[in-house]
Amino acid sequence: MVWNGGIQARRTAACAAPRIYAVFVRATKGPPLIEFRDGVFFLSTANTSYWFGVTAHGHLEHLHYGRRLPVQDPQALRPERTAQRASAIVYDPADPRCTLDALALEYSTIGQGDYRRIPCRILTHHGYDLDPVHRTHRITADAAPALTLPTADGPAESLHVTLGDDRAGIELTLVYTVFEDVDVIARRVIVRNTGDAPATIEQLASVQLDLPDRGLRVLTLDGDWIAETHTHTRAVTPGAFVTGSTTGSSSNRHNPGFLILEDRADEDRGRVWGVNLVYSGSHEASVSLDAHGSVRVHSGIQPQAFAWPIAPGEEFESPQAVLTFSDEGCNGASDRFHRFVNRHIVPERFREVPRPVVFNSWEAVSFDVDERRLGRLAKQASALGMELFVIDDGWFAGRRDDTGGLGDYGVDTSRFPSGLAAFGDRLKRLNLRMGLWFEPEMVNERSALYARHPDWAMRVPGKAPREGRHQLVLDLCNPDVCDYIVEQVGAVLDSADITYVKWDMNRHIADASSPHVAHPGMVAHRYIQNLYAVLARIFAPRPHVLLEMCSSGGNRFDLGMLRHSAMIWASDDTDPIERLEIQQGLSHLYPPSTISAHVSAAPHAQTLRDTPLSTRFNVAAFGALGYEYDLDLLTSEERKEVRDQIAFYLAHRELLQFGRFRRGDMPRDRYRWQAGEGDEAIVGLFQRRVDAAPTPDILPIAGLDPDAAYVVRAKPQRLMIERFGNLINHVTPMRLDPRGLVLQTVGRFHSLRDAAEEHRGTGSLLAEGIRLNDQFQGTEYNESIRMLGDHGSTLYLVEKETPR
Ligand code: DGJ
C-alpha cells in the first residue's frame, strides 16, 4: 500500500513521503504502541490515537489526536491543498500551494512562512531563522527519562524524532512517550548545538499541538493565596490566550495544567484534551486561533527573563509536557490524568500507599509550639484516631515568629528540652508517627546562616534584595547552598524518628540573579533543576519519609513537585466552602490522593465563615485528610463527631484517595463529588446556599453495575444544637435563651441527628438520580428531614447488596 505522504495536491516525486522503517522494541505486550508506516507515525494508547506524518520536505504534519482509530491510510484526515492560499509564503517554488502556514505542525520555527505563534526562539550565528527537518527517529522500550528534570516513569514506549538544520547548526529531538494504560502521551524537546558557533535558546515550549477548531473552550485554574485553582472557562477566539507564571514557581496564580473542551462538552460528554507540565518553575501556555480555523496550543518554560546559551556540542532539555484526550467529557480527561499521576508521577515508593490522617500544629498553635502543649494535643489526636503528628513552623532556634530563624535547623531546646527524638518516642507511645516542617529554600536576615553567608541569598549586585514574608531566597544556583540544605535537613531527619516532612516555600522569587550561572537568563530554570536534585539527594536515601509539598498553600501544586512527593498542601484556606472551589479546580488535573485537605475551626480564620463541622470533614474527606485544630476547644459532642469522622475515613480511605473521582454538573450552587464506582462509592452533596421553598434535590450516581442492587445510606452526622438558635424552643418543653448558659452547656454534650436517609435501587436506576428527602423549611422537624442550611452537606455511602 502506498499512502500520500506529502502536503501537496499535485503529486510529484518530491511530494511522496519518505519511506523510513523503524525497528520496534516492545516495552508492553499487545500491538505496538508506536508504529511508523509510509511516512506516518501512529501512537496508540488504550483509547486514543496520536498521528503525525513526515512531509515531502521533512516537516512533521500533525494528523490526529483523539479517539483511538485503527491504523490506516490517514489520507482523509490530511487537508489537501487544492487552491493556493493568498498572502502566503511559498515554501517550495516547485509547488505554489505549499505553505507551512496552512499545515498542522508538530513543532514550528521562525522564518519559514508559518506566522502563527512559534514554540521556540533560538539565536544562532544566522539570527533566528531555523528550518529543522526530519533526519532520523528511533523507538525505545522505556519512558525515556530526562537527565536534568523529572519525567514520568513506568511501563511506556518512546519515540525520538530528530529534526536538523545544518546551516544553523541546530538539532531538535522531539521525544514522545506513550503511557498506554492511562491514555497519556508525554512530549518534550531536546535542543542540540551541532554547529561550531555558540547559540542561545530564548524561548522553548515543550509541546505544540495543532488542532482543528471545533468551537473550542479553555478551562484554566487560577487564583491567589487562599483562593487557589478556581476554574475559569473562556472561548478560543481569534488571537492568542496566554497564561502562565513569572514568580519563579508554578504559582497559585495560574496552574500549568489546563483543559481544552469542544463546544458542547460537559463533565461527562464531549471531546476534551488535557495539557499539563512536569515542572515547578515559571511557565507559559498559550492557545491561539488563526483566521483559517487552526488552533495552536503551546506549553513550556516561561520565556520572560529566560535565556540558555548552548555551546557547540551541548544540549538543553525542556520540561516534559503531558497530554490526554477523552471523549467522555472533563471527568474522562480528569480520570486519565488521575490514574497517570498515581501510576507514573508520584514516586514509586508512595504509589497506592494510603496517606495517613495527620494532625498539623499550624492552625492550632501557630508559632506557639513547645513539647508540653504539643504533647497534650498529641494525646487527643491519638485518642481521636489520627495517625501522624506534624510539628509545623516554630520548632527550631530563633523561630518565634516569621521574622527570624529560617536557615538554621537546630531544634529550639527551650521549647523541646527533651529534644526531638524524645518527643518522637512520646508520639510513638501514643501510636502516632512524627512529621516535621521545613522551609529550606529560604533564609531570614535574622539567622546565623545569614550572618555567616549573606552572599547566599539571591541578590542583584549593587542592590539590596527585597523581602517577602521577612525572608530572602537562597541562591540554589550555588552548589554550596545545595550541599548545605542537603546536610542540614538530612541531619535533622536522621536525628529522630521522622517519617514525614512538610516542605514549605513562602515567597516568590525576585532579585533573580546569581554569580553561579553563565547567563542571567539561566537563573530561574537552574534554581528549579537544582531544587529537584536537592530533593532527590535528601529523600531518595530516606524512602521511609513521606513528603508533603507546600508553598504558602498551593503556590507550587504541579507535577514536578509530585514527582518527588506524595501530596501537596492545597491551600492555607481550610474554609470548606472556599475549599469546594479549590479542590474541585484541582480535581480536573490531580487525584484526591495528592490533595492535602484539613479540617479546622469555625468561624474560619481567613473568611470568618461559620460552617458545620460535618461539612468541614465532608469536603476534606475527598483528599488526604488531616486536622489543624486546637483540640482543646472541641466540645464533647464535637469530639465524638471527629472520632466518627476519622473512623469513617479510615474505613473508606482507599476509595476516597484512590477511587475513581467524578464531579457532577449540578444546578443551584450545589457541588457533587463521587469517589469510587462498581461495588462501592461515596458521593458528597454540598450546598453553598440554602434555597427557600427548596426544589427537591436529585442525586445521580455514576459508574455502577446497571443490573446489580445497591443500598445508599447517608453517613450519620451530628447537628450541633447551637446551629438552631431560637428554633430550639420549638422542640424543648420550656423557653430557653439560645445564647444562655443552659443551652450552651447542653450543646457541649448533646446534639441532634441529621437526616437518616436510605435508598435502594439497581445501578441503572441510581444513575437516573435519587430523589432525596426534603430539606428543612420551617414547617416541622423530624429525623428524616435534611437539615442542611447554608454550607450544609451530606456524604452518601453506596454499597452493592449481596444477594441473600
Ligand atoms: C505556610 C503554609 O502554607 C502553612 O500551612 C504553614 O506551614 C505556614 N507556612 C508556616 O509558616
Side-chain angles (χ1 to χ4, degrees), residues 352-364:
E352 314 279 318
V353 171
R355 314 303 191 238
V357 177
V358 308
F359 175 83
N360 179 297
S361 64
W362 180 246
E363 286 202 28

Side-chain angles (χ1 to χ4, degrees), residues 734-781:
M734 49 186 174
R735 226 182 136 269
L736 292 167
D737 177 355
R739 279 164 303 187
L741 195 62
V742 175
L743 271 183
Q744 274 191 19
T745 313
V746 169
R748 295 185 72 81
F749 302 99
H750 297 282
S751 58
L752 302 175
R753 209 181 146 192
D754 204 349
E757 266 182 290
E758 190 169 301
H759 307 274
R760 289 191 145 74
T762 57
S764 51
L765 182 141
L766 298 178
E768 291 299 313
I770 301 169
R771 278 35 170 191
L772 296 177
N773 291 10
D774 282 335
Q775 290 201 37
F776 179 76
Q777 37 208 288
T779 49
E780 61 172 313
Y781 166 75

Side-chain angles (χ1 to χ4, degrees), residues 380-447:
Q380 302 184 60
S382 163
L384 292 170
M386 298 179 212
E387 300 169 302
L388 193 140
F389 190 94
V390 183
I391 309 172
D392 208 282
D393 203 348
W395 59 268
F396 45 94
R399 191 71 173 159
R400 296 278 152 164
D401 54 32
D402 58 9
T403 63
L406 288 180
D408 311 329
Y409 294 99
V411 65
D412 183 341
T413 47
S414 68
R415 292 168 172 232
F416 290 87
S418 337
L420 275 185
F423 189 71
D425 290 341
R426 199 162 153 194
L427 292 178
K428 215 178 288 168
R429 286 195 293 277
L430 290 168
N431 231 350
L432 288 168
R433 289 156 54 196
M434 176 158 74
L436 205 57
W437 178 95
F438 291 88
E439 193 176 353
E441 300 159 65
M442 300 288 151
V443 64
N444 285 120
E445 287 195 44
R446 201 159 57 69
S447 68

Side-chain angles (χ1 to χ4, degrees), residues 4-47:
N4 300 329
I7 56 168
Q8 299 91 347
R10 261 192 318 154
R11 286 170 224 279
T12 63
C15 294
R19 305 275 192 84
I20 311 159
Y21 290 95
V23 178
F24 298 113
V25 191
R26 297 302 324 286
T28 46
K29 295 200 187 85
L33 308 185
I34 302 170
E35 291 181 70
F36 183 66
R37 289 209 214 161
D38 290 316
V40 178
F41 294 98
F42 297 93
L43 279 51
S44 311
T45 68
N47 300 292

Side-chain angles (χ1 to χ4, degrees), residues 362 392-393 399 437 469 502 504 506 550 552-553 569 572:
W362 180 246
D392 208 282
D393 203 348
R399 191 71 173 159
W437 178 95
R469 206 197 186 199
K502 178 175 171 192
D504 206 346
N506 281 305
C550 171
S552 299
W569 181 227
D572 279 353

